[in-house]
Amino acid sequence: LALLGFSAAIARARQHQLQVTESLRHAQEIAGLGSYAYDLRTGRWQSSDIFDRIFGLSADYPRDAEHWVALATPEDQESRRAYTATVIEQGIPFHREYRIQRKNDGALRWVFSKGKVVRDGDGRPQQLVGTVQDISERKRIEEELRIAAVAFDSEEAMLITDRRQRIMKVNRAFT
Protein backbone atom coordinates (compact mmCIF):
# COMPACT_ATOMS: atom_id res chain seq x y z
CA LEU A 1 0.00 0.00 0.00
CA ALA A 2 2.85 2.39 0.84
CA LEU A 3 4.43 1.56 -2.50
CA LEU A 4 1.20 2.45 -4.33
CA GLY A 5 1.05 5.77 -2.49
CA PHE A 6 4.68 6.49 -3.36
CA SER A 7 4.04 5.66 -7.05
CA ALA A 8 1.02 7.98 -7.11
CA ALA A 9 3.10 10.78 -5.55
CA ILE A 10 5.79 10.31 -8.20
CA ALA A 11 3.14 10.36 -10.95
CA ARG A 12 1.67 13.62 -9.56
CA ALA A 13 5.14 15.16 -9.33
CA ARG A 14 5.89 14.21 -12.95
CA GLN A 15 2.57 15.62 -14.09
CA HIS A 16 3.25 18.86 -12.22
CA GLN A 17 6.74 19.06 -13.75
CA LEU A 18 5.27 18.62 -17.25
CA GLN A 19 2.73 21.38 -16.59
CA VAL A 20 5.41 23.78 -15.33
CA THR A 21 7.66 22.98 -18.31
CA GLU A 22 4.79 23.57 -20.73
CA SER A 23 3.89 26.84 -18.99
CA LEU A 24 7.51 28.03 -19.27
CA ARG A 25 7.60 27.09 -22.95
CA HIS A 26 4.44 29.12 -23.57
CA ALA A 27 5.84 32.13 -21.68
CA GLN A 28 9.07 32.01 -23.71
CA GLU A 29 7.12 31.77 -26.94
CA ILE A 30 4.88 34.71 -26.06
CA ALA A 31 7.88 36.86 -25.05
CA GLY A 32 10.04 35.69 -27.96
CA LEU A 33 12.61 34.74 -25.36
CA GLY A 34 15.09 31.99 -26.15
CA SER A 35 17.22 30.32 -23.51
CA TYR A 36 20.51 28.48 -23.42
CA ALA A 37 22.94 26.70 -21.15
CA TYR A 38 26.64 26.61 -22.07
CA ASP A 39 28.71 24.00 -20.20
CA LEU A 40 32.11 25.62 -19.62
CA ARG A 41 33.77 22.30 -18.79
CA THR A 42 32.85 20.56 -22.04
CA GLY A 43 32.46 23.58 -24.35
CA ARG A 44 29.05 22.25 -25.41
CA TRP A 45 25.72 24.10 -25.21
CA GLN A 46 22.01 23.49 -25.41
CA SER A 47 19.36 25.90 -26.60
CA SER A 48 15.59 26.26 -26.64
CA ASP A 49 13.47 26.14 -29.78
CA ILE A 50 12.95 29.92 -29.56
CA PHE A 51 16.74 30.48 -29.37
CA ASP A 52 17.21 28.30 -32.45
CA ARG A 53 14.47 30.20 -34.29
CA ILE A 54 16.04 33.59 -33.45
CA PHE A 55 19.46 32.49 -34.72
CA GLY A 56 18.09 30.46 -37.64
CA LEU A 57 19.67 27.24 -36.38
CA SER A 58 18.81 23.76 -37.56
CA ALA A 59 18.81 20.73 -35.27
CA ASP A 60 22.19 19.63 -36.68
CA TYR A 61 23.99 22.95 -36.03
CA PRO A 62 27.11 22.06 -33.98
CA ARG A 63 26.74 23.04 -30.31
CA ASP A 64 30.43 23.57 -29.53
CA ALA A 65 32.65 26.50 -28.49
CA GLU A 66 33.68 27.46 -32.02
CA HIS A 67 30.11 27.59 -33.25
CA TRP A 68 28.98 29.46 -30.11
CA VAL A 69 31.22 32.40 -31.04
CA ALA A 70 30.18 32.09 -34.69
CA LEU A 71 26.61 33.06 -33.73
CA ALA A 72 27.70 36.73 -33.76
CA THR A 73 28.49 38.54 -36.99
CA PRO A 74 32.13 38.09 -38.05
CA GLU A 75 33.02 41.67 -37.07
CA ASP A 76 31.48 41.20 -33.59
CA GLN A 77 32.95 37.77 -32.82
CA GLU A 78 36.16 38.95 -31.16
CA SER A 79 34.40 41.45 -28.90
CA ARG A 80 31.85 38.76 -27.98
CA ARG A 81 34.65 36.31 -27.17
CA ALA A 82 36.44 38.91 -25.00
CA TYR A 83 33.23 39.93 -23.22
CA THR A 84 32.36 36.29 -22.46
CA ALA A 85 35.87 35.67 -21.09
CA THR A 86 35.52 38.71 -18.80
CA VAL A 87 32.12 37.54 -17.58
CA ILE A 88 33.49 34.08 -16.77
CA GLU A 89 36.67 35.39 -15.18
CA GLN A 90 34.90 37.94 -13.00
CA GLY A 91 31.76 35.87 -12.45
CA ILE A 92 29.53 38.84 -13.19
CA PRO A 93 26.00 38.77 -14.62
CA PHE A 94 25.95 39.79 -18.24
CA HIS A 95 23.69 41.76 -20.52
CA ARG A 96 24.73 42.65 -24.01
CA GLU A 97 23.30 43.70 -27.35
CA TYR A 98 25.03 42.35 -30.43
CA ARG A 99 24.46 41.64 -34.07
CA ILE A 100 23.94 38.20 -35.53
CA GLN A 101 23.66 36.81 -39.01
CA ARG A 102 21.00 34.13 -39.04
CA LYS A 103 22.38 30.80 -40.22
CA ASN A 104 19.36 29.70 -42.26
CA ASP A 105 18.74 32.85 -44.33
CA GLY A 106 21.73 35.17 -43.74
CA ALA A 107 19.53 37.96 -42.34
CA LEU A 108 21.28 40.47 -40.10
CA ARG A 109 19.49 40.85 -36.75
CA TRP A 110 20.09 42.45 -33.35
CA VAL A 111 19.71 40.43 -30.14
CA PHE A 112 19.82 41.18 -26.43
CA SER A 113 21.36 38.50 -24.24
CA LYS A 114 21.16 38.37 -20.47
CA GLY A 115 22.44 35.74 -18.08
CA LYS A 116 24.85 34.64 -15.41
CA VAL A 117 27.70 32.32 -14.56
CA VAL A 118 26.76 29.26 -12.51
CA ARG A 119 29.53 27.97 -10.23
CA ASP A 120 30.06 24.51 -8.78
CA GLY A 121 30.36 23.78 -5.06
CA ASP A 122 34.03 24.81 -5.10
CA GLY A 123 33.29 28.16 -6.72
CA ARG A 124 34.62 27.25 -10.17
CA PRO A 125 32.69 28.51 -13.21
CA GLN A 126 30.58 25.63 -14.45
CA GLN A 127 27.98 27.03 -16.81
CA LEU A 128 26.72 30.14 -18.58
CA VAL A 129 22.93 30.27 -18.54
CA GLY A 130 20.89 32.97 -20.11
CA THR A 131 18.22 34.28 -22.38
CA VAL A 132 18.24 35.95 -25.75
CA GLN A 133 15.63 38.12 -27.44
CA ASP A 134 15.46 39.51 -30.97
CA ILE A 135 15.50 43.33 -30.67
CA SER A 136 15.87 44.11 -34.38
CA GLU A 137 12.58 46.01 -34.58
CA ARG A 138 13.51 48.18 -31.58
CA LYS A 139 16.92 48.93 -33.15
CA ARG A 140 15.24 49.89 -36.44
CA ILE A 141 12.90 52.29 -34.63
CA GLU A 142 15.80 53.80 -32.65
CA GLU A 143 17.65 54.45 -35.91
CA GLU A 144 14.60 56.10 -37.45
CA LEU A 145 14.23 58.29 -34.35
CA ARG A 146 17.92 59.22 -34.50
CA ILE A 147 17.58 60.23 -38.14
CA ALA A 148 14.41 62.21 -37.38
CA ALA A 149 16.17 64.00 -34.51
CA VAL A 150 19.08 64.97 -36.75
CA ALA A 151 16.67 66.23 -39.41
CA PHE A 152 14.66 68.17 -36.82
CA ASP A 153 17.84 69.86 -35.58
CA SER A 154 18.76 70.94 -39.11
CA GLU A 155 18.88 74.51 -40.42
CA GLU A 156 15.53 74.04 -42.16
CA ALA A 157 12.44 75.26 -40.33
CA MET A 158 10.27 72.36 -39.17
CA LEU A 159 7.22 71.91 -37.05
CA ILE A 160 5.31 68.91 -35.76
CA THR A 161 1.53 68.91 -35.51
CA ASP A 162 -1.02 66.53 -34.06
CA ARG A 163 -3.97 65.07 -35.98
CA ARG A 164 -5.96 68.28 -35.51
CA GLN A 165 -3.12 70.34 -36.97
CA ARG A 166 -2.22 71.87 -33.60
CA ILE A 167 1.48 72.69 -33.40
CA MET A 168 3.19 70.33 -30.93
CA LYS A 169 6.84 71.28 -31.47
CA VAL A 170 9.03 73.51 -33.60
CA ASN A 171 12.76 73.40 -34.13
CA ARG A 172 15.22 76.27 -33.56
CA ALA A 173 15.30 77.19 -37.24
CA PHE A 174 11.55 77.77 -37.18
CA THR A 175 11.71 80.54 -34.60
Side-chain angles (χ1 to χ4, degrees), residues 80-93:
R80 184 168 189 242
R81 186 186 333 264
Y83 182 73
T84 301
T86 300
V87 163
I88 294 167
E89 181 181 299
Q90 297 178 7
I92 56 175

Side-chain angles (χ1 to χ4, degrees), residues 57-86:
L57 303 180
S58 62
D60 62 344
Y61 185 80
R63 276 20 185 216
D64 58 29
E66 176 185 347
H67 290 87
W68 176 257
V69 173
L71 293 174
T73 59
E75 53 274 4
D76 289 348
Q77 288 177 10
E78 190 51 46
S79 67
R80 184 168 189 242
R81 186 186 333 264
Y83 182 73
T84 301
T86 300

Side-chain angles (χ1 to χ4, degrees), residues 158-162 164-170 174:
M158 291 188 188
L159 61 94
I160 298 174
T161 62
D162 66 10
R164 294 185 186 137
Q165 302 302 313
R166 290 184 297 202
I167 297 174
M168 303 298 292
K169 188 168 181 141
V170 298
F174 192 83

Side-chain angles (χ1 to χ4, degrees), residues 1 7 12 15 19-21 31 37 41 51 55 64 69 77 79 102 110 155:
L1 193 57
S7 293
R12 282 192 305 274
Q15 181 63 31
Q19 290 170 341
V20 169
T21 300
R41 296 164 300 173
F51 180 101
F55 284 88
D64 58 29
V69 173
Q77 288 177 10
S79 67
R102 290 171 41 92
W110 277 93
E155 298 298 317

Side-chain angles (χ1 to χ4, degrees), residues 93-109:
F94 60 92
H95 51 281
R96 181 148 182 147
E97 295 179 355
Y98 58 96
R99 296 172 300 163
I100 63 167
Q101 187 164 15
R102 290 171 41 92
K103 300 305 178 193
N104 62 347
D105 61 12
L108 291 173
R109 308 293 291 175

Side-chain angles (χ1 to χ4, degrees), residues 8-71:
I10 289 174
R12 282 192 305 274
R14 283 189 181 145
Q15 181 63 31
H16 177 71
Q17 183 179 15
L18 288 173
Q19 290 170 341
V20 169
T21 300
E22 186 69 9
S23 179
L24 177 60
R25 190 184 66 71
H26 286 306
Q28 286 184 334
E29 179 124 2
I30 291 165
L33 196 64
S35 60
Y36 59 90
Y38 183 107
D39 188 323
L40 298 170
R41 296 164 300 173
T42 65
R44 313 265 323 144
W45 50 278
Q46 299 175 349
S47 53
S48 70
D49 291 343
I50 305 293
F51 180 101
D52 293 351
R53 192 176 317 143
I54 290 169
F55 284 88
L57 303 180
S58 62
D60 62 344
Y61 185 80
R63 276 20 185 216
D64 58 29
E66 176 185 347
H67 290 87
W68 176 257
V69 173
L71 293 174

